[in-house]
Amino acid sequence: MKHEKMKMGMVTHCILGFSLLILVAAVFYLTGDFLGFLDLQRQLKNACNDAGNEAPASYEDKPSSSLSSSTRCNLFEGRWVFDNVSLPLYEERNCSFMLPEFACERYGRKDFKYRNWRWQPRRCDLPRFNGTAFFEKIRGKKLVFVGDSLNRNQWTSMLCLVESALGPSSPRTVVRDENMHTFQSNEYNATIALYWSPFLVESNCDDPIIHRVKDRVVRLMGIDKHARHWNDADILIFNSYLWWTDPMTVTWGTSLGSSDARNKTVDKMSTRLYEMVLDVWSDWLEININRTKTKMFFMSPSPFHLYGDKWEEKRNCYNETEPILDGRIGLSIVGARMRAAELALQKLGTRGINIEYLNTTHLSEYRKDAHPSIYKNFFHTVSEEQLSDPTSYSDCTHWCLPGVPDIWNQILYSYIMNS
């Protein structure tokens, strides 16, 4: 009898709980915290299952949408699903911030399926990007992408994603001040900026427009030149990998042109050099970053599809219109650099600096179909010889928009909204 009364009491609490859930749902909807709502819903349902002597739905039986535990939901493991109902999240032609190097439709691409592949994690769903909720979350804050053209790709995607949340009278302009490109929302007093710094430290490739330098020089200890421009950010998203794959000269001098006995020319990407730069960057963060204010992320390397290894020999991304769907991955050689970045972030964690590592490399490697290829504005003249062989000049490094960087930003959105 006592057990039955307790059971009835629990059932009553569940009824009241579900009523309260309806009210709480409205709050979560307004704040954009869909993951929080779904997690609360799951917990309440499991509790009520227990009250009714039913076995609670196990994690294996019912996917969880909560990010509270990485063991419950790994956003970076899953598969690509074709979705022409909810995607794309915006139209290329309607994005005021679209850059010509990512506007594949404008430059003649005729197949548009690349816009309709949704990333589906194994045990949860990515929340749909809500521009209004995102702006409310970063109201009064400054978000800065720091890195190279892949970060510019992601930054452009972010601006396209949030544009629908802007009022009709809001400006759609980006202001450039040397390396900093800034969009400011007057409605939300929020800043979404890009800071061009392909090596993180000082180099002779630091001009955001004119950086195609044949003989590259990197000043190993020269981080202050850049870092002082983004040390006031509330959210930082770092990226640095692509530019390290070419030969360069490394200097330890006080300026790029100074002579130093330790100056060294590196003929190819040196993992040790990359580690050294990450150490310089880490030391700067430990001393200068406000740990209670600034949320930081580091993007894993963006894969490139320059060779046909394992999916079609002697080809690159040109004329590819379908993702890799059979699980055969291993197209880009990024492993050593990924491990170097992961180790640097782990070391920072032991020093009290927490940086979220967004490992989007694996999920992006499936998308050989999503690069601009020949469908973009090229800033160099394409020769007649190249035109006769489109594979010779195809861009298989960057990504069309809408496309893969939108998924990166959906993942970033999930982390920011739940931070």
Side-chain angles (χ1 to χ4, degrees):
M1 186 67 179
K2 182 177 180 181
H3 174 73
E4 289 297 317
K5 287 183 178 180
M6 290 178 64
K7 179 178 176 181
M8 288 299 296
M10 286 296 295
V11 171
T12 302
H13 282 300
C14 288
I15 295 172
L16 293 174
F18 276 112
S19 300
L20 179 61
L21 186 65
I22 297 173
L23 297 176
V24 174
V27 177
F28 280 125
Y29 177 81
L30 292 174
T31 61
D33 189 3
F34 304 110
L35 297 181
F37 168 68
L38 290 171
D39 193 43
L40 177 63
Q41 183 186 45
R42 177 183 58 82
Q43 293 178 36
L44 186 58
K45 182 176 180 179
N46 287 348
C48 291
N49 284 342
D50 288 340
N53 286 331
E54 299 174 6
S58 69
Y59 179 69
E60 294 294 329
D61 297 331
K62 185 173 179 58
S64 167
S65 291
S66 173
L67 294 182
S68 59
S69 172
S70 59
T71 60
R72 294 189 175 188
C73 177
N74 185 343
L75 293 180
F76 310 106
E77 292 184 359
R79 62 191 178 95
W80 290 96
V81 177
F82 187 74
D83 180 354
N84 60 357
V85 177
S86 63
L87 296 178
L89 297 175
Y90 57 88
E91 294 291 338
E92 175 197 299
R93 60 184 175 274
N94 295 335
C95 177
S96 306
F97 305 98
M98 184 62 64
L99 295 178
E101 56 263 47
F102 313 130
C104 300
E105 181 180 357
R106 184 193 311 173
Y107 286 90
R109 184 160 180 171
K110 301 301 182 184
D111 64 291
F112 302 133
K113 289 179 65 176
Y114 67 90
R115 308 178 308 171
N116 296 106
W117 290 94
R118 171 172 53 83
W119 179 248
Q120 179 60 59
R122 287 181 182 173
R123 299 175 182 241
C124 58
D125 296 319
L126 275 176
R128 187 175 177 86
F129 195 100
N130 184 316
T132 302
F134 186 72
F135 267 131
E136 287 293 349
K137 185 71 174 181
I138 66 169
R139 180 184 287 274
K141 293 182 169 58
K142 182 178 182 180
L143 181 152
V144 182
F145 291 88
V146 178
D148 56 26
S149 56
L150 272 310
N151 252 15
R152 184 167 64 218
N153 214 163
Q154 188 176 358
W155 170 71
T156 305
S157 160
M158 177 65 79
L159 292 180
C160 292
L161 286 167
V162 301
E163 183 171 11
S164 62
L166 299 174
S169 61
S170 295
R172 267 81 165 165
T173 55
V174 171
V175 177
R176 179 194 166 197
D177 182 9
E178 296 183 344
N179 291 48
M180 187 73 81
H181 298 70
T182 303
F183 168 72
Q184 177 77 34
S185 167
N186 295 334
E187 298 166 78
Y188 299 93
N189 187 30
T191 298
I192 301 176
L194 168 72
Y195 188 87
W196 175 265
S197 179
F199 294 104
L200 298 179
V201 296
E202 185 179 356
S203 77
N204 63 345
C205 308
D206 286 342
D207 189 303
I209 306 300
I210 307 172
H211 48 249
R212 296 182 180 276
V213 181
K214 181 180 179 181
D215 299 315
R216 297 177 177 177
V217 181
V218 175
R219 189 165 80 87
L220 182 61
M221 304 306 293
I223 194 169
D224 287 316
K225 175 188 173 182
H226 295 312
R228 59 190 176 88
H229 293 286
W230 36 259
N231 66 349
D232 63 337
D234 300 280
I235 302 171
L236 284 167
I237 303 101
F238 293 101
N239 160 273
S240 183
Y241 167 74
L242 181 64
W243 283 64
W244 293 97
T245 59
D246 290 328
M248 68 191 73
T249 297
V250 183
T251 177
W252 276 258
T254 56
S255 66
L256 286 174
S258 63
S259 178
D260 190 288
R262 294 173 294 174
N263 288 0
K264 181 180 180 181
T265 299
V266 182
D267 294 327
K268 60 181 180 180
M269 167 59 170
S270 167
T271 301
R272 178 55 189 148
L273 176 59
Y274 187 57
E275 291 171 345
M276 292 168 69
V277 167
L278 291 177
D279 286 341
V280 171
W281 169 74
S282 298
D283 290 342
W284 189 94
L285 292 177
E286 184 175 16
I287 296 171
N288 295 279
I289 284 295
N290 185 335
R291 308 179 193 193
T292 61
K293 171 191 174 184
T294 306
K295 180 71 174 175
M296 293 181 288
F297 300 88
F298 196 97
M299 302 301 300
S300 70
S302 174
F304 36 79
H305 294 83
L306 301 178
Y307 311 103
D309 182 37
K310 294 189 179 181
W311 45 276
E312 188 175 349
E313 296 299 329
K314 297 182 181 179
R315 289 189 65 89
N316 59 15
C317 70
Y318 173 69
N319 215 27
E320 293 292 336
T321 59
E322 296 287 337
I324 299 169
L325 298 176
D326 61 3
R328 292 180 296 168
I329 294 298
L331 309 178
S332 58
I333 307 171
V334 299
R337 267 66 71 191
M338 285 184 69
R339 287 190 292 273
E342 291 166 2
L343 182 60
L345 300 186
Q346 290 172 9
K347 289 180 179 177
L348 273 171
T350 64
R351 295 154 71 178
I353 305 292
N354 181 42
I355 301 181
E356 296 283 2
Y357 183 63
L358 302 188
N359 188 354
T360 56
T361 302
H362 183 68
L363 67 90
S364 303
E365 281 194 308
Y366 292 98
R367 296 303 308 279
K368 63 184 173 68
D369 61 308
H371 296 286
S373 180
I374 64 173
Y375 305 109
K376 59 174 284 184
N377 178 52
F378 288 92
F379 295 100
H380 62 277
T381 302
V382 180
S383 68
E384 291 294 329
E385 182 180 358
Q386 287 177 313
L387 288 172
S388 66
D389 179 14
T391 61
S392 67
Y393 70 99
S394 290
D395 181 351
C396 299
T397 300
H398 301 95
W399 305 91
C400 296
L401 294 178
V404 171
D406 301 330
I407 303 301
W408 302 347
N409 279 324
Q410 275 190 273
I411 293 173
L412 177 65
Y413 170 86
S414 299
Y415 276 82
I416 291 175
M417 296 301 292
N418 285 274
S419 64

